[in-house]
């Protein structure tokens, strides 16, 4: 609501930290899709259902010049690494933040083929995978933040081995993640 937006914009303006991490419950980035009959559609179980509010949050990041905004998100049971664009409808617009979406540890992921088919309509999405369970381990330093998308082999085995599905780097002062 308006009170929360004012608070967040004020927090951006007052922020003095090198990295500004925004905890978020639903995927923030735009997820455009086409319906079965080829018409324009939207995934609305997230910020896509609130495009004006999302635009105001992005505008506040730009206006306040908040340092290194990184949005950490969950609740879609899959890994995502997204560039947050100043104009979410224009893939060539300036990247203003990075969104890292962690998957679930035990809950099943969203249908991989269905969501992978949307990637060509969403060039700001740098990575997606819903086939593995796990979490994201972030290490923030002066020069970069490294996001390691960690997986577990067997969610039913407490002694399971794990691994790294992918690593991404966000360079300080340059929003947007690149494969590390």
């Amino acid at each position: 609501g308006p009170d929360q937006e004012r608070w967040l914009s004020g927090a951006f303006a007052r922020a003095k930290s090198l990295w500004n991490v925004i905890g978020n419950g639903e995927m923030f980035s735009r997820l455009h899709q086409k319906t079965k009959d080829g018409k324009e559609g939207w995934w609305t179980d997230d910020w896509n259902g609130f495009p004006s509010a999302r635009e105001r949050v992005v505008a506040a990041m730009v206006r306040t010049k908040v340092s290194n905004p990184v949005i950490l998100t969950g609740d879609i049971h899959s890994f995502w690494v997204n560039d947050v664009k100043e104009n979410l409808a224009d893939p060539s617009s300036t990247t203003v933040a990075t969104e890292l979406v962690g998957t679930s540890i035990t809950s099943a992921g969203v249908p991989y083929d269905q969501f992978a088919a949307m990637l060509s309509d969403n060039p700001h999405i740098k990575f997606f995978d819903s086939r593995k369970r796990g979490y994201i381990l972030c290490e923030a330093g002066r020069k970069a933040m490294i996001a390691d998308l960690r997986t577990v082999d067997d969610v039913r085995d407490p002694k399971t081995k794990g691994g790294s599905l992918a690593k991404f780097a966000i360079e300080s002062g340059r929003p947007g993640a690149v494969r590390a």
Side-chain angles (χ1 to χ4, degrees):
D3 291 340
Q4 289 173 316
E5 286 181 34
R6 276 191 297 280
W7 172 84
L8 185 58
S9 182
F12 290 160
R14 292 185 303 276
K16 295 189 182 345
S17 57
L18 179 61
W19 295 96
N20 288 279
V21 178
I22 301 123
N24 182 45
E26 304 287 336
M27 193 156 83
F28 186 80
S29 295
R30 179 180 187 261
L31 183 56
H32 177 259
Q33 64 182 338
K34 291 186 176 137
T35 62
K36 290 179 183 176
D37 58 1
K39 293 183 180 173
E40 196 163 336
W42 300 94
W43 181 258
T44 58
D45 188 23
D46 55 21
W47 281 79
N48 286 297
F50 305 91
S52 296
R54 179 175 54 200
E55 288 171 12
R56 289 189 299 270
V57 170
V58 169
M61 287 182 209
V62 172
R63 184 178 62 255
T64 62
K65 298 179 179 156
V66 64
S67 175
N68 297 317
V70 176
I71 301 169
L72 293 182
T73 301
D75 198 42
I76 194 167
H77 306 274
S78 43
F79 287 115
W80 301 76
V81 178
N82 305 318
D83 287 347
V84 177
K85 298 293 190 171
E86 184 170 4
N87 178 349
L88 296 160
D90 180 2
S92 65
S93 73
T94 304
T95 299
V96 299
T98 302
E99 180 177 32
L100 304 170
V101 182
T103 190
S104 52
I105 298 253
T106 59
S107 298
V110 296
Y112 178 81
D113 292 336
Q114 176 186 348
F115 280 76
M118 295 180 208
L119 297 181
S120 63
D121 292 326
N122 294 279
H124 61 284
I125 297 172
K126 302 303 177 191
F127 185 87
F128 159 74
D129 197 302
S130 64
R131 298 168 293 188
K132 298 280 189 177
R133 312 284 37 97
Y135 56 96
I136 299 178
L137 179 64
C138 294
E139 183 177 337
R142 289 209 169 277
K143 294 184 179 183
M145 177 183 286
I146 305 298
D148 187 359
L149 285 57
R150 306 290 302 167
T151 61
V152 295
D153 292 339
D154 182 351
V155 298
R156 292 173 292 266
D157 180 0
K159 296 180 182 176
T160 191
K161 296 198 187 274
S164 178
L165 182 60
K167 284 186 181 183
F168 287 84
I170 307 161
E171 187 179 328
S172 180
R174 299 190 73 188
V178 295
R179 207 75 188 240

